Amino acid sequence: MKKYLTGRFAYRTDIGKVRLSNEDQAIALTNASGNVLLVVCDGMGGQNKGDLASSLAIHTVVTSFKSRRGFMNAYSGRMWVSKAIREANKSIYEQSQSNINYRGMGTTITLLLIIKDIAILGHVGDSRCYFLKNHHDLVQITEDQTYVAYLVRTGQISQEEALTHPKRHVLMNALGIYPSASIDLKVFPYLNEQVLICSDGLYNNVPVDDITAIVKGNDTVEMKVNELIAIGNKNGGSDNIAVVLWEAQN
């Protein structure tokens, strides 16, 4: 088992070319124990609402992470991920109920906690987490919680039809909409893969082959993040873009 995890990371959000405000949030940080936290949130509900929802989610999770010295094992990490996301849901929901201007606001959240050789995923919505396997294949480890993804999984439409479906942006699950949250939690081995977490503003504008080529490249993590966002905007910039990239050092 690795005693301590070290690596490089970069994160950035961009308003894109169409939206009037940036409702995406992204962050990556480590603690003194070498645990790694990567988070992307994509707010929904319109200007101010989505921005507030994603900001509340990030603030709640980061504050909780910083209050802990570290995580001893997968169990403690999984419990923390679940609790932190539920607290974020509560914060958003209570704010929306206390102020009529914020009614209906919500956010996606895709969170990865890495504890040495264990990864713990907490996922709500349609932001995505990818692992670069064997330095070659970019594998999506999250499942989009959208109406169109449901249609694909149930065989009602094809992957190709999903790309242009008029309801492809309709979420089936989001944080802050209801008093309690439905969270997809996964625990699995972490084998020093590169990790990319992004909002739909990236993967809807940049083909996965192009994303893979950039992630596999030899540029710095900062340059890769900037290049991904630049291509997303060049290809239309139809939405806000959030990107987090982590590269472990062997």
Side-chain angles (χ1 to χ4, degrees):
M1 176 181 287
K2 297 189 288 286
K3 292 183 178 180
Y4 197 89
L5 185 64
T6 59
R8 299 172 295 269
F9 61 77
Y11 59 92
R12 186 184 151 196
T13 69
D14 189 88
I15 194 171
K17 297 296 185 181
V18 176
R19 302 294 188 184
L20 297 177
S21 61
N22 189 355
E23 299 179 330
D24 282 8
Q25 295 279 340
I27 198 163
L29 64 161
T30 61
N31 61 19
S33 298
N35 308 140
V36 179
L37 178 67
L38 315 171
V39 191
V40 160
C41 293
D42 180 356
M44 52 176 279
Q47 190 173 4
N48 297 328
K49 292 181 182 179
D51 178 39
L52 177 59
S54 59
S55 296
L56 284 171
I58 288 281
H59 175 76
T60 302
V61 168
V62 169
T63 299
S64 178
F65 181 75
K66 289 181 176 180
S67 71
R68 294 189 59 115
R69 293 184 178 180
F71 304 91
M72 296 299 296
N73 50 42
Y75 176 78
S76 65
R78 187 181 188 280
M79 293 298 291
W80 176 80
V81 169
S82 177
K83 182 180 179 183
I85 294 178
R86 293 184 193 284
E87 287 177 347
N89 183 82
K90 179 181 178 183
S91 177
I92 298 166
Y93 182 77
E94 289 182 348
Q95 184 81 317
S96 71
Q97 295 303 300
S98 66
N99 187 331
I100 194 171
N101 293 322
Y102 297 134
R103 293 285 168 83
M105 71 176 178
T107 184
T108 72
I109 186 167
T110 300
L111 178 159
L112 192 76
L113 175 66
I114 306 174
I115 308 171
K116 298 177 182 177
D117 54 2
I118 295 292
I120 302 158
L121 174 74
H123 174 65
V124 178
D126 67 345
S127 295
R128 290 181 179 177
C129 181
Y130 295 92
F131 275 26
L132 186 68
K133 297 287 187 178
N134 302 316
H135 303 286
H136 186 266
D137 298 315
L138 199 64
V139 177
Q140 182 181 339
I141 64 169
T142 49
E143 187 174 88
D144 296 346
Q145 297 173 348
T146 63
Y147 177 64
V148 164
Y150 165 76
L151 295 178
V152 172
R153 288 194 295 271
T154 55
Q156 299 181 56
I157 64 172
S158 67
Q159 288 281 5
E160 291 71 26
E161 290 172 320
L163 297 175
T164 56
H165 196 284
K167 294 186 177 180
R168 62 188 179 276
H169 299 300
V170 176
L171 287 173
M172 300 285 283
N173 191 20
L175 210 61
I177 303 299
Y178 301 107
S180 60
S182 175
I183 307 167
D184 184 11
L185 284 170
K186 297 178 182 177
V187 180
F188 43 88
Y190 176 67
L191 305 174
N192 278 13
E193 298 97 340
Q194 288 171 259
V195 180
L196 171 70
I197 303 182
C198 64
S199 63
D200 62 346
L202 180 71
Y203 67 75
N204 281 335
N205 284 290
V206 184
V208 69
D209 288 347
D210 293 346
I211 295 175
T212 303
I214 293 171
V215 173
K216 286 167 54 178
N218 296 320
D219 291 335
T220 66
V221 287
E222 292 84 4
M223 291 172 66
K224 291 177 183 179
V225 167
N226 289 337
E227 188 172 359
L228 287 168
I229 290 175
I231 293 177
N233 282 325
K234 182 180 179 181
N235 291 349
S238 61
D239 203 348
N240 305 149
I241 304 172
V243 179
V244 175
L245 184 63
W246 161 263
E247 296 181 351
Q249 293 176 310
N250 297 314

